[in-house]
Amino acid sequence: MVMFTLRRFLQLIPVFFGATLLVYFLVFATPGDPIAALSGGKPMAPAVQAALRAQYNLDQPFWIQYGLYLKNLVTLNLGQTFSGQDVSAVIGRAYPVTARLAFMALAIEAIFGVLFGVIAGLRKGKLFDATVLVASLVVIAVPTFVLGFVLQLVIGVQLGWARPTVSGAAPWNELILPALVLGLVSLAYVIRLTRASISENMNADYVRTATAKGLSRGRVVLVHILRNSLIPVVTFLGADLGSLMGGAIVTEGIFNVPGVGNLLYKAILKGESATVVAVVGILVIVFVVANLVVDLLYAWLDPRIRYV
Amino acid sequence: MSNHATGQGARALRSSDQPLLDIQDLAITFETSNGPVEAVRNAHLTIMPGETVAIVGESGSGKSTTALAAIGLLPSNGRVSGGKIIFDGEDITNVSSKRIVELRGNSIGMVPQDPMSNLNPVWKIGFQVKETLRANGLDGANSKERVAEVLSEAGLPDAAARAKQYPHEFSGGMRQRALIAIGLACRPRLLIADEPTSALDVTVQRQILDHLDKMTTELGTAVLLITHDLGLAAERAEKLVVMYKGQVVESGPALEILRNPQHPYTQRLVNSAPSLASRRLQSQKAKDALAAAVADLDTPVDGEHPAPVAPRTVPAAAKPVSADGRQHAQAGDTILEIKNLTKVFKLRGALGKSTDFKAVDDVSFSVPRGTTMAIVGESGSGKSTVAQMALSLLAPTEGSILFDGVEVNTLKGRALFDFRRRVQPIFQDPYGSLDPMFNIYRTIEEPLKIHKIGDSKSREKKVRELLDQVSMPASTMHRYPNELSGGQRQRIAIARALALNPDVIICDEAVSALDVLVQAQVLNLLNELQEDLGLTYLFITHDLAVVRQIADHVTVMQKGRVVEASSTDEVFSNPKQVYTQELLNAIPGATLLV
């Protein structure tokens, strides 16, 4: 188990370098001159332009630029944004907000998804099951930005139950509505996955044997159906954490959340390679670690799986 | 279970004149998408305290359904639609779910069929025993010791340590012992044993049944045994209930039914029970030929001719010419020769070290053309590995396989392709070995197409012929595997194997998954085909009863090695090895009819 974990962390190294190289190249290859765009179309003195280019190493060929970036990275210097702020400081402000948002979304998914999924699976074909199935289908079919705007309008503006947009510090309570929107689609998938898994395990031979032993219905469900059914759900949730962190661009845009999605979007528009690569690099690490946690959880839930 | 009448069990004979379980006119209906289906009707059976009663029938006969109804475990779409189930004087037909939960475990226990799927894979064995005790209010302060006690009673060695293991760390036999421990943990008065050993090897099967016998006799537990094996039922139970198509067709004392079956179905069952059959099947043709040979004997030519009951020798006159015109060589010519075959698997151990595991160890035998060689052994004896190597699906570590004098290992490209045409497999599971997305026509045509034989018209003709050969109507062509029964599917698998006019067919447990009657039909079919087409069979099986019916020669394998090799009659009449004797003794019902 320890060896397995260690090996997975070693795998992080090539994954990290591969991802940063790719992202750096993509930003480099994006058409348009980031320096010219800085001045908003007004003419800029050639000397100033040249100085800026030199400051951000934009006058160097691609490999030198990437090499210099890596060199800075070793000394934990992530570079500066075009407005002169340290990238590390910008990221340090944005990541906690997005992490909070993503974990809240994940919690909503896990709690309500499993709960509704279990009830629907146990009462397959009944009214609750049918309602949940149709609702989840609707949620999956409607794009996030539509759902986001509708909920913002109804809950935020008309009912006034929550702030329609999030303030600068992005406290927990203001993030509930965006987290709901962010987690809604995955919630629908979790419900369907749990439901299918439960109704499959309900007919397993060992469940019948457990019943024949004289166990109460509740114990059979909790001890013998639920744990076995959660195995695929956990895999899904773990993989989803990564996409929630990186995929919050639309939701953060709608609710004006000052998180990573917003930051990344603006940085890409400006061609700020240092910011883009740093944000994506951290996302890659989050992804790999989340998947490692899933694998370890998997072994804990299913004793047949042992890593060597 | 035979000396139950003196039942010493604490609670067993509280009311010995009153039946413990009394099922009267039971009807069970399943709601299906095609409307209600009555799976059981007018079923009746009684079990006295401490008595063992067996329900015998093929799959789909309603035997398991009847038993499950008694413990309130019908599938959700099934319900009791008529009749009564009375347990110990209490009508439990439509009892509340609270009451049935009370009864389960400590009044009615169950030992299920398949030990592989009936233990929850994510909980330790000890936990699964303990929760049984707890659910029935029997876990005291010393529950840990009690768990170990219950497990060791069921014959599990080193129970305290074993209780800390997970089901996947147990062998099939050990799992079944754990399930027996669970079933009897709370000392129920009735134990429902649903095919408790049909998923296990014969020798393990015998140990487990003996142990179950002993325990239930000591505890005075009544047993409702469900089985498809008439020999096993007659050996283990005092009373038999024969079910056929949802109805009880016959019931009474076991030996009486066996000796004097009344209902036509029971008669067929008794006649075809493999465990009771005593000699090799013979095709009609062989019988005729033998009769002719006997007639010849009346005017003696030479004194060495065997008597008609002696081991089958195929008269040279009966040797056929196969459809493609190849002349089959004389008997005695060896078609498949295995020499010093060894297969070593590397098992991955800790820290990158691997240990060698010899699955097959220096195995040699040869198969004369037109005969059947059976390889017998328990699971893990290496018999299937030999089959896979003979099919050239697995490369041997050492040794050689000569097919018609040619080394199979070194075959490549075209030669290997031709070899594949001449050696065909039939596998165990008729459900898994047919592609569910292919209709029957495509299934049988595929090998012809791959080997570019004929055009689509002649191939269709060939498929029709093949279906006819395996006694399936031509209309089957457009159906899909899931519309056919297990026996029908196995016929399709045989037709597919025959499509290329092979010389050798390797049957890996080809009839093990089938019900007795179907098994008898398929064995007969294989036998007729052997006579008609001069086929050679390599028959892999764990079931000596099947061997007796189909094989000319037997190779007995144990732990990768050949322990005995001889003609079938020799092995059965005069087994030399202790292991072979054990295998023979383990055939259920072997001692019943002499």
Side-chain angles (χ1 to χ4, degrees):
Chain A
M1 192 72 103
V2 178
M3 285 295 288
F4 171 79
T5 314
L6 211 70
R7 235 190 4 250
R8 287 289 291 265
F9 272 108
L10 286 178
Q11 278 175 10
L12 258 180
I13 297 169
V15 170
F16 179 78
F17 282 110
T20 49
L21 175 66
L22 193 71
V23 172
Y24 208 97
F25 176 75
L26 285 175
V27 179
F28 176 83
T30 313
D33 181 353
I35 297 301
L38 267 184
S39 59
K42 287 184 202 134
M44 191 189 278
V48 178
Q49 279 199 26
L52 276 172
R53 270 184 227 287
Q55 186 189 343
Y56 294 102
N57 302 320
L58 292 176
D59 50 352
Q60 306 285 349
F62 172 70
W63 285 109
I64 307 277
Q65 281 192 35
Y66 183 64
L68 286 169
Y69 176 78
L70 286 185
K71 192 183 129 215
N72 283 335
L73 196 65
V74 175
T75 58
L76 292 178
N77 175 8
L78 295 179
Q80 271 94 42
T81 66
F82 289 151
S83 54
Q85 289 175 287
D86 275 340
V87 170
S88 48
V90 175
I91 287 180
R93 277 197 300 278
Y95 256 104
V97 175
T98 295
R100 216 178 301 159
L101 183 65
F103 276 107
M104 283 172 73
L106 195 73
I108 292 173
E109 264 178 64
I111 296 168
F112 292 100
V114 171
L115 187 69
F116 289 171
V118 168
I119 299 175
L122 291 176
R123 300 189 187 160
K124 206 173 168 188
K126 303 278 167 60
L127 182 67
F128 183 85
D129 179 38
T131 316
V132 162
L133 270 190
V134 172
S136 66
L137 206 63
V138 170
V139 168
I140 291 171
V142 176
T144 307
F145 58 85
V146 176
L147 271 175
F149 280 125
V150 169
L151 288 180
Q152 185 183 37
L153 184 70
V154 175
I155 296 178
V157 179
Q158 291 180 345
L159 296 173
W161 290 352
R163 281 178 62 112
T165 56
V166 174
S167 57
W172 291 94
N173 56 346
E174 289 181 14
L175 284 175
I176 292 175
L177 188 58
L180 180 67
V181 171
L182 183 61
L184 214 50
V185 173
S186 299
L187 171 70
Y189 282 116
V190 172
I191 290 176
R192 294 184 148 241
L193 200 61
T194 311
R195 174 187 178 272
S197 188
I198 288 266
S199 65
E200 189 189 310
N201 279 313
M202 250 179 23
N203 296 321
D205 283 348
Y206 56 78
V207 170
R208 198 185 66 184
T209 303
T211 312
K213 291 197 285 197
L215 304 190
S216 65
R217 180 75 186 147
R219 190 170 164 90
V220 170
V221 170
L222 275 178
V223 176
H224 290 279
I225 300 181
L226 196 57
R227 180 167 168 184
N228 300 56
S229 304
L230 282 183
I231 295 171
V233 178
V234 165
T235 319
F236 178 83
L237 285 175
D240 204 41
L241 178 64
S243 20
L244 286 177
M245 301 266 310
I249 295 180
V250 174
T251 313
E252 289 187 358
I254 295 171
F255 293 97
N256 196 31
V257 180
V260 168
N262 251 334
L263 178 67
L264 186 62
Y265 178 66
K266 285 173 189 155
I268 291 171
L269 284 189
K270 282 192 280 186
E272 243 174 43
S273 354
T275 317
V276 176
V277 175
V279 170
V280 174
I282 294 175
L283 279 179
V284 167
I285 294 172
V286 169
F287 236 99
V288 174
V289 172
N291 274 305
L292 174 65
V293 171
V294 167
D295 284 343
L296 296 177
L297 259 179
Y298 213 90
W300 176 71
L301 278 171
D302 189 343
R304 285 167 295 185
I305 296 168
R306 284 281 172 262
Y307 302 111
V308 268
Chain B
M1 285 170 227
S2 44
N3 58 345
H4 70 94
T6 55
Q8 315 85 329
R11 294 174 286 173
L13 296 184
R14 195 174 53 196
S15 47
S16 59
D17 51 338
Q18 187 189 2
L20 182 65
L21 182 71
D22 191 6
I23 293 180
Q24 302 167 356
D25 291 326
L26 187 71
I28 295 166
T29 306
F30 284 98
E31 297 297 333
T32 69
S33 48
N34 298 324
V37 174
E38 204 167 52
V40 172
R41 56 185 183 282
N42 298 331
H44 47 86
L45 70 90
T46 49
I47 304 176
M48 302 305 285
E51 190 180 42
T52 298
V53 174
I55 310 185
V56 188
E58 55 195 18
S59 48
S61 63
K63 57 186 194 302
S64 290
T65 308
T66 306
L68 288 178
I71 189 172
L73 283 178
L74 286 177
S76 54
N77 61 338
R79 66 188 167 84
V80 174
S81 51
K84 268 187 189 165
I85 303 168
I86 296 165
F87 179 75
D88 201 17
E90 179 186 355
D91 186 345
I92 58 167
T93 325
N94 289 308
V95 81
S96 72
S97 59
K98 186 167 166 282
R99 179 67 188 138
I100 196 78
V101 167
E102 278 171 21
L103 285 173
R104 285 181 196 141
N106 54 6
S107 292
I108 308 176
M110 188 174 90
V111 177
Q113 173 166 14
D114 181 1
M116 294 302 161
S117 63
N118 272 292
L119 287 164
N120 191 331
V122 308
W123 295 109
K124 289 175 182 163
I125 298 288
F127 175 89
Q128 298 190 46
V129 178
K130 196 167 141 187
E131 68 171 357
T132 314
L133 295 169
R134 187 184 300 154
N136 294 291
L138 291 173
D139 66 328
N142 56 347
S143 67
K144 214 177 215 167
E145 287 93 74
R146 185 72 194 126
V147 166
E149 225 172 274
V150 168
L151 281 170
S152 60
E153 270 173 16
L156 200 70
D158 200 11
R162 287 289 184 184
K164 290 179 197 144
Q165 288 184 310
Y166 287 98
H168 69 272
E169 295 168 273
F170 275 37
S171 71
M174 282 160 62
R175 290 186 206 200
Q176 196 56 289
R177 286 179 193 276
L179 283 163
I180 288 175
I182 289 172
L184 289 171
C186 306
R187 304 293 183 243
R189 302 187 57 208
L190 173 66
L191 184 73
I192 295 173
D194 186 358
E195 305 258 12
T197 55
S198 47
L200 303 173
D201 278 334
V202 269
T203 45
V204 183
Q205 193 173 9
R206 185 166 195 88
Q207 288 164 14
I208 296 227
L209 285 172
D210 283 347
H211 197 85
L212 190 62
D213 250 7
K214 193 168 145 269
M215 277 187 84
T216 50
T217 308
E218 277 168 13
L219 299 169
T221 314
V223 178
L224 178 56
L225 178 69
I226 297 147
T227 178
H228 65 273
D229 190 330
L230 189 63
L232 186 146
E235 191 177 66
R236 303 284 168 180
E238 289 111 37
K239 276 198 315 208
L240 292 190
V241 175
V242 182
M243 286 191 77
Y244 179 58
K245 294 191 172 164
Q247 276 180 304
V248 172
V249 294
E250 195 163 352
S251 62
L255 281 178
E256 204 166 289
I257 288 191
L258 210 58
R259 298 218 168 102
N260 191 16
Q262 298 297 315
H263 193 274
Y265 175 73
T266 321
Q267 286 163 3
R268 278 205 293 151
L269 209 57
V270 170
N271 289 334
S272 64
S275 46
L276 305 171
S278 56
R279 45 194 306 268
R280 195 195 195 288
L281 294 168
Q282 298 208 321
S283 68
Q284 198 50 51
K285 216 166 170 179
K287 281 177 194 156
D288 294 349
L290 202 58
V294 174
D296 283 350
L297 270 183
D298 289 344
T299 52
V301 183
D302 66 43
E304 283 179 18
H305 263 298
V309 283
R312 187 190 69 142
T313 48
V314 180
K319 271 289 163 200
V321 175
S322 78
D324 60 358
R326 267 181 287 141
Q327 178 78 43
H328 287 289
Q330 293 76 21
D333 148 37
T334 297
I335 189 154
L336 189 66
E337 190 173 7
I338 309 265
K339 276 191 209 158
N340 308 104
L341 199 63
T342 299
K343 179 72 193 179
V344 177
F345 288 110
K346 294 216 178 296
L347 297 182
R348 263 175 57 177
L351 298 167
K353 281 180 203 154
S354 66
T355 44
D356 284 353
F357 170 67
K358 258 191 186 172
V360 174
D361 190 359
D362 194 21
V363 167
S364 305
F365 60 85
S366 57
V367 189
R369 196 185 293 269
T371 66
T372 302
M373 163 68 83
I375 304 181
V376 196
E378 299 176 319
S379 42
S381 61
K383 56 190 194 304
S384 283
T385 312
V386 171
Q388 287 191 37
M389 288 190 282
L391 279 165
S392 198
L393 295 174
L394 196 66
T397 312
E398 266 173 57
S400 69
I401 301 159
L402 296 174
F403 174 73
D404 229 356
V406 181
E407 174 60 54
V408 171
N409 285 329
T410 53
L411 290 180
K412 283 204 172 59
R414 188 73 221 172
L416 182 63
F417 192 63
D418 283 340
F419 166 78
R420 296 235 182 275
R421 191 185 62 69
R422 297 180 63 192
V423 179
Q424 287 284 308
I426 301 172
F427 292 110
Q428 171 168 15
D429 181 6
Y431 293 85
S433 61
L434 299 181
D435 189 330
M437 307 308 274
F438 275 29
N439 67 16
I440 301 308
Y441 177 72
R442 251 185 105 185
T443 302
I444 303 178
E445 187 212 15
E446 196 186 22
L448 294 168
K449 229 172 161 177
I450 291 171
H451 287 267
K452 300 198 175 65
I453 294 170
D455 51 21
S456 65
K457 214 168 186 178
S458 73
R459 283 200 293 261
E460 186 178 333
K461 192 164 155 272
K462 178 79 182 167
V463 172
R464 279 177 195 281
E465 278 172 25
L466 286 164
L467 282 171
D468 190 49
Q469 264 178 336
V470 297
S471 310
M472 293 286 288
S475 59
T476 321
M477 286 202 307
H478 307 294
R479 301 175 69 184
Y480 284 84
N482 65 354
E483 300 165 29
L484 303 179
S485 71
Q488 289 174 319
R489 289 181 206 213
Q490 205 59 312
R491 283 168 193 270
I492 300 302
I494 294 171
R496 176 175 59 185
L498 289 175
L500 296 167
N501 294 323
D503 297 309
V504 176
I505 295 187
I506 297 183
C507 306
D508 191 355
E509 302 274 12
V511 294
S512 309
L514 305 174
D515 281 327
V516 267
L517 285 180
V518 183
Q519 194 176 59
Q521 287 166 8
V522 171
L523 286 177
N524 266 316
L525 172 66
L526 286 171
N527 206 50
E528 297 285 341
L529 290 169
Q530 182 167 47
E531 286 302 322
D532 291 347
L533 306 174
L535 294 169
T536 306
Y537 294 137
L538 181 60
F539 219 91
I540 315 292
T541 181
H542 67 273
D543 191 346
L544 274 165
V546 168
V547 171
R548 184 152 48 177
Q549 294 178 75
I550 190 94
D552 300 295
H553 303 279
V554 184
T555 300
V556 182
M557 283 184 72
Q558 183 188 23
K559 291 176 186 161
R561 302 190 70 95
V562 172
V563 293
E564 185 157 2
S566 182
S567 76
T568 306
D569 293 87
E570 183 70 19
V571 167
F572 275 84
S573 58
N574 188 18
K576 295 202 173 51
Q577 295 291 323
V578 180
Y579 179 69
T580 315
Q581 283 162 8
E582 268 174 36
L583 279 178
L584 282 172
N585 289 336
I587 302 177
T591 53
L592 275 176
L593 293 184
V594 188

